[in-house]
Amino acid sequence: QTDRKSVDYIVEMGCCFSRGDQEGNNEGLISLGIGYNSSKTKTYHRPVWSSDETITRERLQKMRDEFWDTHPCYGGDKIIWDALKAACTADFEMAKVIIESAGIIVASKDMSICYDEKGAKYELPQYVLSDPQNLKR
């Protein structure tokens, strides 16, 4: 498992680069592109969080499934929601391609707030972006 505390992402002019942890481990990381509208270099990372109570992998997956099944009904473009879901579960290179090709603008350092090219806002909970530190194994 990658130490998520030491992982960050650098996005420059719509291109995405990644640095792994201090040992150079990039396993399990995703790229967080911000689309072609970027004019600054920003650093992004997956959220590091703990649930209020220890949860199992099965419960976490159920929470994720419920979010992806219901949240798109409340607004935004289904195509963007589908792209965000795919990016959250994709490997490094594929996530970059998905984010960039969908024209998604990542507005927060952990990808929890994104926008489409029309300005619609998409908010993603931490539990769809990364596993909690206290996940029961």
Side-chain angles (χ1 to χ4, degrees):
Q1 172 103 11
T2 301
D3 177 9
R4 295 184 196 279
K5 292 180 186 173
S6 60
V7 176
D8 59 277
Y9 302 88
I10 299 173
V11 179
E12 183 174 357
M13 298 297 291
C15 299
C16 186
F17 305 92
S18 168
R19 282 195 312 251
D21 61 20
Q22 294 171 345
E23 290 80 36
N25 182 1
N26 289 322
E27 183 179 339
L29 306 181
I30 64 168
S31 168
L32 304 178
I34 62 171
Y36 62 84
N37 294 330
S38 174
S39 60
K40 300 188 233 178
T41 299
K42 295 183 180 182
T43 301
Y44 294 92
H45 60 86
R46 295 188 112 183
V48 176
W49 65 285
S50 294
S51 63
D52 293 337
E53 55 187 62
T54 303
I55 60 173
T56 64
R57 168 81 48 206
E58 293 77 24
R59 174 68 184 132
L60 179 63
Q61 188 59 50
K62 183 177 179 181
M63 291 167 57
R64 289 174 175 169
D65 291 343
E66 288 174 3
F67 173 80
W68 293 117
D69 289 345
T70 61
H71 198 68
C73 299
Y74 299 106
D77 187 328
K78 182 174 179 354
I79 294 170
I80 299 297
W81 281 115
D82 290 345
L84 288 169
K85 180 180 180 181
C88 286
T89 59
D91 65 32
F92 178 81
E93 290 300 318
M94 185 55 68
K96 177 183 174 192
V97 170
I98 293 166
I99 293 291
E100 290 177 354
S101 65
I104 296 170
I105 300 163
V106 179
S108 63
K109 290 188 175 196
D110 61 3
M111 201 174 133
S112 62
I113 299 175
C114 301
Y115 293 89
D116 64 21
E117 292 173 330
K118 297 175 186 174
K121 185 177 182 179
Y122 301 82
E123 293 186 56
L124 303 175
Q126 294 176 336
Y127 61 83
V128 301
L129 298 168
S130 63
D131 294 344
Q133 290 182 318
N134 60 340
L135 182 67
K136 186 175 181 180
R137 305 231 182 252

